[in-house]
Structures are given as structure tokens and as C-alpha cells.
Amino acid sequence: MASPCLVLLEPAVEFEQAQSLMEYLAQEVFRIQQKYSRYQTDSVLSQINQKSGQNTAIDTETYQLLQMAQVLWQLSKGRFDCTSGVLRPVWRFHEPSTLPTQEQIDELLPLIGWQQVELTHSMFTMHKGMQLDLGGLGKEYAADRCAYLARERGFQHCLINLGGDIATSGIRANHEPWQIGIENANERGQVWQTVPLLQGGMATSGTSFRFIEVAGKRYSHILDALTGWALTDLPRSITVAAPNCTEAGALSTLAMLQGDKADEFLQQSTRPYWVQW
């Protein structure tokens, strides 16, 4: 979740006010990152993973995130599963293009499955050896938290951009839509399409810049938790607009898991969307 953070404010806001808000929201983003990062050994997420096989006390915020993970697992019929973190060691998308063996994946599959966890408002338990990874939820949640905190401080007309995940604290002061550029999935840094967003959130799931190619076949970084294998033949990019960034991110991720049925899934959601192949 170390993506760039950008806050757009209406011109009438004084510099000192804008700077104060930026610092305040940046602190919130860093707080969430430190709390749920899998790379920091003292994070809440790391502590949960270190205590796999034991009951782990959790706070309300963690419960709400884990409950969201449970809903996505249910909606995806098990294909989106935050316990698939155990697959990280065998899928290395930053190294030379090699695939894991079926034997390696078969060894890890018994450690994947949200049906094996127990979640209450104050306690979380998973079997020994299982690992959580909340990478598919954290950034969108952080964007929505920033929008909420901005509103709470009286900033009703600002837009938060966390590496392409968008949340607004409200409509623009002139009542015109925010203009959001969707990046070209085949040309990094180029705008593919500009779309209006009156308020709410927007999120993108993509496969363009994180994948491996083996024997002419492209394997995305999106893994099917049921099989343990990276998905192929997916859209390059799916962008969804929704009342908040968290919902937009959930829909774009679930749609990506549908592969060539992504459009059909998104049409049923009734939310505006944009797909690049």
C-alpha cells in the first residue's frame, strides 16, 4: 500500500489549511499501512499470521476488514480468499519467469480456505500454517477513511487518490463532476479515457504491469484461491465507480475473477464500469 497519495482541493482552500489536511490524511494512510502490512513484523496482520493455530484478539477495525474479506470470499464462491497468502512464496512475479509445480501448489492448498477460520467481533482463529494477506482491501479502505476524515474536518470538496484508487469527500464546489483519467492498460502513463465522477469512489484492478510470461502464455498476478494457479486470459484493466472506493475495488476485483464473463458480471452490478482488453 505504498502507492502515491494525492489530495485535490478546491482553489478557495488556503494553503495552510490544505497542508494541514494533507499531513493529517497522510498520517492516516501510514497508520493503516503499518497496521495491516504483511512486510512489517510488528503489524497486526503479521501478529495474526505468527499466531496461526491460536486465538488472536482483534479490535473493531480489524473485525470489519476481516468481515469484508469474508463477504468477498462468499460472493466469489471461494475464488477470492485472503488466506491465499501462503501462495506468495511459490508465485514470484518480480523474478525470472518460472512457474511453480503442481506439487508445490498441492502442498499449500490445504492451508487455503476461509471456511477454516473463525471470526467474531473480538477474536480471530485460523489453522496453524495458514496466512492472511489483506493486500486486496487495504488501499481502498484507506482512501475511504481519508474521505471520511476530510468531511469530518469540514472539507466537503476534495478528492483522494491513492495510487489510482479514488474517493471523494463530496461533490465539487461548482457542482461539476471530477474528471478522472483511466490509465491506458497497454501504455503506462497514458490516459485511455477520461470519465466524470460526481462523488463517491472509483477503483481499478489490472493485470498489465504485474505478470509473468512462460512459453508464450501470460500469467497474471491474480490467483484463483480454489486452484492455487494464476489466472490467464483476463482483461488488462477493469475500472468501477461506486458510492465508495471499497465497493468499487471489491467489484473490480470480483469482475476480474470472472475472466471473459467480466462484462456480464458488471452489468448485473448496475455500477458504471470500463473494461480494457
Side-chain angles (χ1 to χ4, degrees):
M1 203 169 60
S3 300
C5 175
L6 174 67
V7 179
L8 298 181
L9 296 161
E10 293 298 316
V13 177
E14 295 182 1
F15 175 78
E16 290 78 11
Q17 291 178 307
Q19 186 176 39
S20 175
L21 179 65
M22 282 284 293
E23 292 173 354
Y24 181 56
L25 298 185
Q27 288 175 359
E28 177 67 1
V29 173
F30 291 137
R31 179 192 72 81
I32 294 171
Q33 179 173 342
Q34 291 168 1
K35 186 172 182 178
Y36 297 112
S37 171
R38 66 176 182 262
Y39 300 109
Q40 296 189 209
T41 57
D42 60 345
S43 71
V44 167
L45 181 67
S46 292
Q47 290 172 10
I48 290 174
N49 286 337
Q50 290 162 14
K51 294 180 180 179
S52 64
Q54 307 173 43
N55 294 332
T56 306
I58 57 174
D59 60 13
T60 299
E61 182 177 45
T62 303
Y63 168 72
Q64 291 172 343
L65 269 177
L66 293 177
Q67 190 178 47
M68 192 186 314
Q70 180 170 295
V71 169
L72 289 175
W73 171 74
Q74 292 169 335
L75 291 175
S76 68
K77 299 180 179 178
R79 300 184 77 191
F80 179 96
D81 194 323
C82 285
T83 66
S84 61
V86 293
L87 292 169
R88 286 198 311 271
V90 299
W91 285 102
R92 300 184 178 94
F93 293 95
H94 57 284
E95 295 183 2
S97 301
T98 57
L99 295 176
T101 65
Q102 186 62 54
E103 288 76 15
Q104 288 176 307
I105 290 176
D106 288 343
E107 186 176 344
L108 296 172
L109 284 179
L111 298 174
I112 301 172
W114 194 265
Q115 71 276 9
Q116 301 183 72
V117 313
E118 294 182 25
L119 174 64
T120 71
H121 283 84
S122 59
M123 199 73 66
F124 180 79
T125 310
M126 60 184 175
H127 293 178
K128 187 172 181 59
M130 294 180 72
Q131 295 283 299
L132 277 183
D133 185 347
L134 297 177
L137 301 172
K139 192 147 60 75
E140 295 89 345
Y141 169 69
D144 283 334
R145 277 288 299 168
C146 287
Y148 168 79
L149 293 176
R151 284 192 299 272
E152 193 176 56
R153 281 204 162 194
F155 292 87
Q156 301 294 327
H157 314 294
C158 71
L159 177 145
I160 293 91
N161 179 355
L162 297 185
D165 289 328
I166 308 292
T168 66
S169 66
I171 62 174
R172 296 182 65 184
N174 62 6
H175 299 282
E176 293 292 327
W178 301 94
Q179 298 299 317
I180 311 297
I182 299 176
E183 186 176 29
N184 190 315
N186 299 305
E187 292 186 57
R188 178 169 284 184
Q190 300 299 311
V191 175
W192 172 65
Q193 189 172 337
T194 300
V195 300
L197 178 69
L198 189 61
Q199 60 183 327
M202 184 177 289
T204 299
S205 294
T207 62
S208 293
F209 307 119
R210 194 173 172 215
F211 63 92
I212 56 176
E213 192 167 309
V214 179
K217 191 168 186 178
R218 184 188 181 103
Y219 295 82
S220 76
H221 73 284
I222 298 174
L223 306 181
D224 186 333
L226 294 178
T227 66
W229 278 90
L231 294 173
T232 60
D233 303 321
L234 300 183
R236 294 295 175 91
S237 168
I238 296 178
T239 301
V240 178
N244 56 67
C245 187
T246 302
E247 181 184 333
L251 286 173
S252 63
T253 299
L254 292 175
M256 191 66 75
L257 288 168
Q258 306 300 314
D260 59 5
K261 294 184 173 58
D263 278 284
E264 181 181 331
F265 172 84
L266 289 165
Q267 287 170 8
Q268 294 174 355
S269 78
T270 73
R271 301 300 189 199
Y273 68 92
W274 299 264
V275 178
Q276 298 181 67
W277 288 91

